[in-house]
Coordinates of all heavy atoms in Angstrom, one line a residue:
N241 N 102.9 97.2 125.7 CA 103.7 96.2 125.2 C 105.1 96.4 125.7 O 105.7 97.4 125.4 CB 103.7 96.2 123.7 CG 104.2 95.0 123.0 OD1 104.6 94.0 123.7 ND2 104.3 95.0 121.7
L242 N 105.7 95.4 126.4 CA 107.0 95.6 126.9 C 108.0 94.7 126.1 O 108.0 93.5 126.2 CB 107.0 95.1 128.4 CG 105.9 95.6 129.3 CD1 105.9 94.9 130.6 CD2 106.1 97.1 129.4
T243 N 108.8 95.4 125.3 CA 109.7 94.6 124.4 C 111.1 95.3 124.4 O 111.3 96.4 124.7 CB 109.2 94.6 123.0 OG1 109.0 95.9 122.5 CG2 107.8 93.9 122.9
C244 N 112.1 94.5 124.0 CA 113.4 94.9 123.7 C 113.8 94.4 122.3 O 113.3 93.4 121.9 CB 114.4 94.3 124.6 SG 114.4 95.0 126.3
I245 N 114.6 95.2 121.6 CA 115.1 94.7 120.3 C 116.6 94.5 120.5 O 117.4 95.3 121.0 CB 115.0 95.8 119.2 CG1 113.5 96.1 119.1 CG2 115.5 95.3 117.9 CD1 113.2 97.3 118.1
F246 N 117.1 93.3 120.2 CA 118.5 92.9 120.3 C 119.1 92.7 119.0 O 118.4 92.3 118.0 CB 118.6 91.6 121.1 CG 118.4 91.7 122.6 CD1 117.2 91.4 123.1 CD2 119.5 92.1 123.4 CE1 117.0 91.5 124.5 CE2 119.3 92.2 124.7 CZ 118.1 91.8 125.3
L247 N 120.4 92.9 118.9 CA 121.1 92.6 117.7 C 122.1 91.5 118.0 O 122.8 91.6 119.0 CB 121.9 93.8 117.2 CG 121.0 95.0 116.7 CD1 121.9 96.2 116.4 CD2 120.2 94.6 115.5
V248 N 122.2 90.5 117.1 CA 123.1 89.3 117.3 C 123.8 89.1 115.9 O 123.1 89.1 114.9 CB 122.3 88.1 117.6 CG1 123.2 86.9 117.8 CG2 121.5 88.3 118.9
P249 N 125.1 88.9 115.9 CA 125.8 88.6 114.7 C 125.2 87.4 114.0 O 124.8 86.4 114.6 CB 127.2 88.3 115.1 CG 127.4 89.0 116.4 CD 126.0 88.9 117.1
A250 N 125.1 87.4 112.7 CA 124.5 86.4 111.9 C 125.1 85.0 112.1 O 124.4 84.0 112.1 CB 124.5 86.8 110.4
S251 N 126.4 85.0 112.2 CA 127.1 83.7 112.4 C 126.8 83.0 113.7 O 126.9 81.8 113.8 CB 128.6 83.9 112.3 OG 129.0 84.7 113.4
Q252 N 126.2 83.7 114.7 CA 126.0 83.1 116.0 C 124.5 82.9 116.3 O 124.1 82.3 117.3 CB 126.5 84.0 117.1 CG 128.0 84.2 117.0 CD 128.5 85.3 117.9 OE1 127.8 86.3 118.2 NE2 129.7 85.1 118.5
I253 N 123.6 83.2 115.3 CA 122.2 83.1 115.6 C 121.7 81.7 115.7 O 120.8 81.4 116.5 CB 121.4 84.0 114.6 CG1 119.9 84.2 115.1 CG2 121.3 83.3 113.2 CD1 119.8 85.1 116.2
P254 N 122.2 80.7 114.9 CA 121.5 79.4 115.1 C 121.6 78.8 116.5 O 120.6 78.3 117.0 CB 122.3 78.5 114.1 CG 122.9 79.5 113.1 CD 123.1 80.7 113.9
D255 N 122.8 78.8 117.1 CA 123.0 78.2 118.4 C 122.1 79.0 119.5 O 121.5 78.4 120.3 CB 124.4 78.3 118.9 CG 125.3 77.3 118.0 OD1 124.7 76.3 117.5 OD2 126.5 77.6 117.9
F256 N 122.2 80.3 119.4 CA 121.5 81.2 120.3 C 120.0 81.0 120.2 O 119.3 80.8 121.2 CB 121.9 82.6 120.1 CG 121.1 83.6 121.0 CD1 121.4 83.6 122.3 CD2 120.2 84.4 120.4 CE1 120.8 84.5 123.1 CE2 119.5 85.3 121.3 CZ 119.8 85.3 122.6
H257 N 119.5 80.9 119.0 CA 118.1 80.8 118.7 C 117.6 79.4 119.3 O 116.5 79.3 119.9 CB 117.7 80.9 117.2 CG 116.3 81.0 117.0 ND1 115.6 80.0 116.4 CD2 115.3 81.9 117.3 CE1 114.3 80.3 116.3 NE2 114.2 81.5 116.8
A258 N 118.4 78.4 119.1 CA 118.0 77.0 119.6 C 117.9 77.0 121.1 O 117.0 76.4 121.6 CB 119.1 76.0 119.1
L259 N 118.9 77.7 121.8 CA 118.8 77.8 123.2 C 117.6 78.5 123.7 O 116.9 78.1 124.7 CB 120.1 78.5 123.8 CG 121.4 77.6 123.7 CD1 122.5 78.5 124.1 CD2 121.3 76.5 124.7
C260 N 117.2 79.6 123.0 CA 116.0 80.4 123.4 C 114.8 79.5 123.2 O 113.9 79.5 124.1 CB 116.0 81.6 122.6 SG 117.2 82.9 123.0
R261 N 114.7 78.8 122.1 CA 113.5 78.0 121.9 C 113.4 76.9 122.9 O 112.3 76.5 123.4 CB 113.5 77.4 120.5 CG 113.2 78.5 119.4 CD 113.1 77.9 118.1 NE 112.1 76.8 118.1 CZ 111.0 76.8 117.4 NH1 110.8 77.8 116.6 NH2 110.2 75.8 117.5
A262 N 114.6 76.3 123.3 CA 114.6 75.2 124.3 C 114.1 75.7 125.6 O 113.5 74.9 126.4 CB 116.0 74.6 124.4
K263 N 114.3 76.9 126.0 CA 113.9 77.5 127.2 C 112.4 78.1 127.1 O 111.9 78.6 128.1 CB 114.8 78.7 127.7 CG 116.1 78.2 128.1 CD 116.0 77.6 129.5 CE 117.4 77.3 130.1 NZ 117.3 76.7 131.4
G264 N 111.8 78.0 126.0 CA 110.5 78.5 125.8 C 110.3 80.0 125.6 O 109.2 80.5 125.8
M265 N 111.4 80.6 125.3 CA 111.3 82.1 125.1 C 110.6 82.4 123.8 O 110.8 81.7 122.8 CB 112.7 82.7 125.1 CG 113.4 82.6 126.4 SD 115.0 83.5 126.2 CE 115.5 83.5 127.9
E266 N 109.9 83.5 123.8 CA 109.2 83.9 122.6 C 110.0 85.0 121.9 O 110.2 86.0 122.5 CB 107.8 84.4 122.9 CG 107.0 84.8 121.8 CD 105.6 85.2 122.1 OE1 105.2 85.0 123.3 OE2 104.9 85.8 121.3
I267 N 110.4 84.7 120.7 CA 111.1 85.7 119.9 C 110.3 86.0 118.6 O 109.8 85.0 118.0 CB 112.5 85.1 119.4 CG1 113.4 85.0 120.7 CG2 113.2 86.0 118.4 CD1 114.7 84.3 120.4
W268 N 110.1 87.2 118.3 CA 109.4 87.5 117.1 C 110.1 88.6 116.3 O 111.0 89.3 116.7 CB 107.9 87.9 117.4 CG 107.7 89.2 118.2 CD1 107.4 90.4 117.7 CD2 107.8 89.3 119.6 NE1 107.3 91.3 118.7 CE2 107.5 90.7 119.9 CE3 108.0 88.5 120.7 CZ2 107.5 91.2 121.2 CZ3 108.0 88.9 122.0 CH2 107.7 90.3 122.2
N269 N 109.6 88.8 115.0 CA 110.1 89.7 114.1 C 111.7 89.6 113.9 O 112.4 90.5 113.9 CB 109.8 91.2 114.5 CG 108.4 91.5 114.3 OD1 107.6 90.7 113.7 ND2 108.0 92.7 114.7
L270 N 112.1 88.4 113.7 CA 113.5 88.1 113.5 C 113.9 88.5 112.1 O 113.4 88.0 111.1 CB 113.8 86.6 113.7 CG 115.2 86.1 113.6 CD1 116.0 86.7 114.7 CD2 115.2 84.6 113.6
T271 N 114.7 89.5 112.0 CA 115.1 90.1 110.6 C 116.6 90.2 110.6 O 117.3 90.5 111.6 CB 114.4 91.4 110.4 OG1 114.8 92.3 111.4 CG2 112.9 91.3 110.3
C272 N 117.1 90.1 109.4 CA 118.6 90.3 109.1 C 118.8 91.7 108.7 O 118.2 92.2 107.8 CB 119.0 89.3 108.1 SG 120.8 89.3 107.9
R273 N 119.8 92.3 109.3 CA 120.2 93.7 109.0 C 121.7 93.8 109.0 O 122.3 93.7 110.1 CB 119.7 94.7 110.0 CG 118.2 94.7 110.2 CD 117.9 95.8 111.3 NE 116.5 95.7 111.7 CZ 116.0 96.3 112.8 NH1 116.8 97.0 113.6 NH2 114.8 96.2 113.1
N274 N 122.3 94.0 107.9 CA 123.8 94.3 107.8 C 124.6 93.2 108.6 O 125.4 93.6 109.5 CB 124.1 95.6 108.3 CG 123.5 96.7 107.5 OD1 123.3 96.6 106.3 ND2 123.1 97.8 108.2
Q275 N 124.4 92.0 108.3 CA 125.2 90.9 108.9 C 124.8 90.6 110.4 O 125.6 90.0 111.1 CB 126.7 91.1 108.8 CG 127.2 91.4 107.4 CD 127.7 90.2 106.7 OE1 128.2 89.3 107.4 NE2 127.5 90.1 105.4
E276 N 123.7 91.2 110.9 CA 123.3 91.0 112.2 C 121.8 90.7 112.2 O 121.1 91.1 111.2 CB 123.4 92.2 113.1 CG 124.9 92.6 113.4 CD 125.0 93.8 114.3 OE1 124.3 94.8 114.0 OE2 125.8 93.7 115.2
Y277 N 121.3 89.9 113.1 CA 119.9 89.7 113.3 C 119.3 90.5 114.4 O 119.9 90.6 115.5 CB 119.6 88.2 113.6 CG 119.6 87.3 112.3 CD1 120.8 86.8 111.9 CD2 118.5 87.1 111.6 CE1 120.8 86.0 110.7 CE2 118.5 86.3 110.5 CZ 119.7 85.8 110.1 OH 119.7 85.0 108.9
A278 N 118.2 91.1 114.1 CA 117.4 91.9 115.1 C 116.2 91.1 115.4 O 115.6 90.5 114.6 CB 117.1 93.2 114.6
F279 N 115.8 91.1 116.7 CA 114.6 90.4 117.1 C 114.0 91.1 118.3 O 114.6 91.8 119.1 CB 114.8 88.9 117.4 CG 115.8 88.7 118.5 CD1 115.4 88.5 119.8 CD2 117.1 88.5 118.2 CE1 116.3 88.2 120.8 CE2 118.0 88.3 119.2 CZ 117.6 88.1 120.5
F280 N 112.7 90.9 118.5 CA 112.0 91.4 119.7 C 111.9 90.3 120.7 O 111.8 89.1 120.4 CB 110.6 91.8 119.3 CG 110.5 93.1 118.5 CD1 110.7 93.0 117.2 CD2 110.3 94.3 119.1 CE1 110.6 94.2 116.4 CE2 110.2 95.4 118.4 CZ 110.4 95.4 117.0
I281 N 111.9 90.6 122.0 CA 111.7 89.7 123.1 C 110.9 90.4 124.2 O 111.0 91.6 124.4 CB 113.1 89.2 123.6 CG1 112.9 88.0 124.5 CG2 113.9 90.3 124.2 CD1 114.2 87.2 124.7
S282 N 110.2 89.6 125.0 CA 109.4 90.2 126.0 C 110.2 90.6 127.2 O 111.3 90.1 127.4 CB 108.2 89.3 126.4 OG 108.8 88.2 127.1
L283 N 109.7 91.4 128.1 CA 110.3 91.8 129.3 C 110.6 90.5 130.2 O 111.7 90.4 130.8 CB 109.5 92.8 130.1 CG 110.1 93.2 131.5 CD1 111.5 93.9 131.3 CD2 109.2 94.1 132.2
K284 N 109.7 89.6 130.3 CA 109.8 88.4 131.1 C 111.1 87.6 130.6 O 111.9 87.2 131.4 CB 108.6 87.5 130.9 CG 108.7 86.2 131.6 CD 107.4 85.4 131.4 CE 107.3 84.9 130.0 NZ 107.8 83.6 129.6
D285 N 111.2 87.5 129.3 CA 112.3 86.7 128.7 C 113.6 87.6 128.7 O 114.7 87.0 128.8 CB 112.0 86.3 127.3 CG 110.9 85.3 127.3 OD1 110.7 84.6 128.3 OD2 110.2 85.2 126.2
F286 N 113.5 88.9 128.8 CA 114.7 89.8 128.8 C 115.5 89.4 130.0 O 116.7 89.5 130.0 CB 114.2 91.2 128.9 CG 115.2 92.2 129.1 CD1 116.1 92.6 128.1 CD2 115.4 92.8 130.4 CE1 117.1 93.5 128.4 CE2 116.3 93.8 130.6 CZ 117.2 94.1 129.6
R287 N 114.9 89.1 131.1 CA 115.6 88.9 132.4 C 116.3 87.5 132.3 O 117.2 87.3 133.1 CB 114.7 88.9 133.6 CG 114.1 90.3 133.8 CD 113.2 90.4 135.0 NE 112.8 91.7 135.2 CZ 111.6 92.1 135.3 NH1 110.6 91.2 135.3 NH2 111.3 93.4 135.5
Q288 N 116.0 86.6 131.4 CA 116.6 85.3 131.3 C 117.6 85.2 130.2 O 118.2 84.1 130.1 CB 115.5 84.3 131.1 CG 114.4 84.2 132.2 CD 113.3 83.3 131.8 OE1 113.4 82.6 130.9 NE2 112.2 83.3 132.6
I289 N 117.8 86.2 129.4 CA 118.5 86.0 128.2 C 120.0 86.0 128.4 O 120.8 85.4 127.6 CB 118.1 87.1 127.1 CG1 118.4 86.6 125.7 CG2 118.7 88.4 127.4 CD1 117.7 87.3 124.7
R290 N 120.5 86.7 129.4 CA 122.0 86.8 129.6 C 122.7 85.5 129.7 O 123.7 85.3 129.1 CB 122.3 87.8 130.7 CG 122.0 89.2 130.3 CD 122.6 90.2 131.3 NE 124.0 90.2 131.1 CZ 124.8 91.0 131.8 NH1 124.3 91.9 132.6 NH2 126.1 91.0 131.5
P291 N 122.2 84.6 130.6 CA 122.9 83.3 130.7 C 122.9 82.5 129.4 O 123.9 81.8 129.1 CB 122.1 82.5 131.8 CG 121.3 83.6 132.5 CD 121.1 84.7 131.6
L292 N 121.8 82.6 128.6 CA 121.8 81.9 127.3 C 122.8 82.5 126.4 O 123.4 81.8 125.6 CB 120.4 82.0 126.7 CG 119.3 81.3 127.5 CD1 118.0 81.4 126.8 CD2 119.7 79.8 127.7
A293 N 123.0 83.8 126.4 CA 123.9 84.5 125.5 C 125.3 84.1 125.9 O 126.2 83.8 125.0 CB 123.8 86.0 125.6
R294 N 125.6 84.0 127.2 CA 127.0 83.5 127.6 C 127.2 82.1 127.1 O 128.3 81.8 126.6 CB 127.1 83.6 129.1 CG 127.7 84.9 129.5 CD 128.0 84.9 131.0 NE 127.1 85.9 131.6 CZ 126.3 85.7 132.6 NH1 126.1 84.5 133.1 NH2 125.5 86.7 133.0
K295 N 126.2 81.2 127.3 CA 126.4 79.8 126.9 C 126.6 79.7 125.4 O 127.4 78.9 124.9 CB 125.1 79.1 127.3 CG 125.2 77.6 127.2 CD 124.0 76.9 127.8 CE 124.3 75.4 127.7 NZ 123.1 74.7 128.4
A296 N 125.9 80.5 124.6 CA 126.1 80.4 123.1 C 127.3 81.3 122.6 O 127.5 81.4 121.4 CB 124.8 80.9 122.4
K297 N 127.9 82.0 123.5 CA 129.1 82.9 123.2 C 128.6 84.0 122.3 O 129.3 84.3 121.3 CB 130.2 82.1 122.7 CG 130.8 81.1 123.7 CD 131.9 80.3 123.1 CE 132.4 79.3 124.2 NZ 133.2 78.3 123.6
V298 N 127.5 84.6 122.6 CA 126.9 85.6 121.8 C 127.0 86.9 122.6 O 126.8 87.0 123.8 CB 125.4 85.3 121.5 CG1 124.7 86.5 120.9 CG2 125.3 84.1 120.6
R299 N 127.4 88.0 121.9 CA 127.4 89.3 122.5 C 126.1 90.0 122.0 O 126.0 90.3 120.8 CB 128.6 90.1 122.0 CG 128.7 91.4 122.7 CD 130.0 92.1 122.4 NE 129.9 93.4 122.9 CZ 130.8 94.0 123.7 NH1 132.0 93.3 123.9 NH2 130.7 95.2 124.1
L300 N 125.2 90.3 122.9 CA 124.0 91.0 122.6 C 124.1 92.5 122.7 O 124.8 93.0 123.6 CB 122.9 90.5 123.6 CG 122.5 89.1 123.5 CD1 121.5 88.8 124.7 CD2 121.8 88.7 122.2
R301 N 123.5 93.2 121.8 CA 123.5 94.6 121.8 C 122.0 95.0 121.9 O 121.2 94.6 121.0 CB 124.1 95.3 120.6 CG 125.6 95.1 120.6 CD 126.2 95.9 119.5 NE 125.3 95.9 118.3 CZ 125.5 96.7 117.3 NH1 126.5 97.6 117.3 NH2 124.7 96.7 116.3
I302 N 121.6 95.8 122.8 CA 120.2 96.2 122.9 C 120.1 97.4 122.0 O 120.8 98.4 122.1 CB 119.8 96.6 124.3 CG1 120.0 95.4 125.3 CG2 118.4 97.2 124.4 CD1 119.8 95.7 126.7
Q303 N 119.2 97.3 121.0 CA 119.0 98.4 120.1 C 118.0 99.4 120.7 O 118.1 100.6 120.5 CB 118.5 97.9 118.7 CG 118.3 99.0 117.7 CD 117.9 98.4 116.4 OE1 117.5 97.3 116.3 NE2 118.0 99.2 115.4
S304 N 116.9 98.9 121.2 CA 115.9 99.8 121.9 C 115.1 99.1 122.9 O 115.0 97.8 122.9 CB 115.0 100.4 120.8 OG 114.1 99.4 120.3
R305 N 114.5 99.8 123.8 CA 113.6 99.3 124.8 C 112.3 100.1 124.7 O 112.3 101.3 124.6 CB 114.2 99.5 126.2 CG 115.5 98.8 126.3 CD 116.2 99.2 127.6 NE 117.5 98.6 127.7 CZ 118.3 98.8 128.7 NH1 118.0 99.6 129.7 NH2 119.5 98.2 128.7
K306 N 111.2 99.3 124.9 CA 109.9 99.9 124.8 C 109.0 99.5 125.9 O 109.1 98.3 126.3 CB 109.2 99.6 123.5 CG 109.9 100.1 122.2 CD 109.2 99.6 121.0 CE 110.0 100.1 119.8 NZ 109.5 99.6 118.5
G307 N 108.3 100.3 126.5 CA 107.3 100.0 127.6 C 107.6 100.7 128.9 O 108.7 101.3 129.1
L308 N 106.7 100.8 129.8 CA 106.8 101.5 131.0 C 107.9 101.1 131.9 O 108.6 102.0 132.4 CB 105.4 101.5 131.7 CG 105.4 102.3 133.0 CD1 105.5 103.7 132.7 CD2 104.1 102.0 133.7
P309 N 108.2 99.8 132.1 CA 109.3 99.5 133.0 C 110.7 100.0 132.7 O 111.5 100.3 133.5 CB 109.3 97.9 133.0 CG 108.0 97.6 132.6 CD 107.5 98.7 131.6
F310 N 110.9 100.3 131.4 CA 112.2 100.8 131.0 C 112.3 102.3 131.2 O 113.4 102.8 131.1 CB 112.4 100.4 129.5 CG 112.5 98.9 129.3 CD1 111.6 98.3 128.6 CD2 113.6 98.2 129.8 CE1 111.7 96.9 128.4 CE2 113.7 96.9 129.7 CZ 112.7 96.2 129.0
F311 N 111.2 102.9 131.4 CA 111.2 104.4 131.6 C 111.3 104.8 133.1 O 111.5 105.9 133.4 CB 110.0 105.1 130.9 CG 110.0 104.9 129.4 CD1 109.1 104.2 128.8 CD2 111.0 105.5 128.7 CE1 109.1 104.0 127.4 CE2 111.0 105.4 127.3 CZ 110.1 104.7 126.7
L312 N 111.0 103.8 134.0 CA 111.0 104.1 135.4 C 112.4 104.1 136.0 O 113.3 103.5 135.5 CB 110.2 103.1 136.1 CG 108.7 103.1 135.8 CD1 108.0 102.0 136.5 CD2 108.1 104.4 136.1

């Protein structure tokens, strides 16, 4: 399973989430933690997320990376 966990400020999640859904990105386990939202995203979508973050004016923080490609 190739996944990343990102943290996004709670005030910026609606616009960012709408952009991700419009591009067909799969986001799962969306949870709120201390005024930030954490979610999982696949490696395929990981490569496409930066332009969407810029467009929504979101600063993404990677909390963790899981899977073989991240260890190479």
Side-chain angles (χ1 to χ4, degrees):
N241 195 5
L242 311 172
T243 58
C244 287
I245 302 174
F246 284 98
L247 295 174
V248 177
S251 62
Q252 299 172 327
I253 198 69
D255 294 334
F256 178 71
H257 190 252
L259 286 171
C260 290
R261 288 186 54 117
K263 288 286 188 180
M265 291 184 171
E266 185 178 344
I267 292 176
W268 66 94
N269 288 355
L270 184 65
T271 56
C272 186
R273 302 179 188 167
N274 300 327
Q275 307 266 330
E276 292 182 314
Y277 277 87
F279 61 91
F280 287 83
I281 193 166
S282 69
L283 178 62
K284 175 184 69 96
D285 294 335
F286 172 75
R287 294 184 175 125
Q288 301 173 11
I289 203 165
R290 288 190 74 173
L292 296 179
R294 268 189 244 120
K295 190 172 185 177
K297 298 178 183 166
V298 170
R299 184 176 173 131
L300 295 172
R301 289 188 326 166
I302 299 173
Q303 184 179 11
S304 69
R305 300 172 183 176
K306 298 178 183 177
L308 184 63
F310 296 112
F311 295 112
L312 297 178

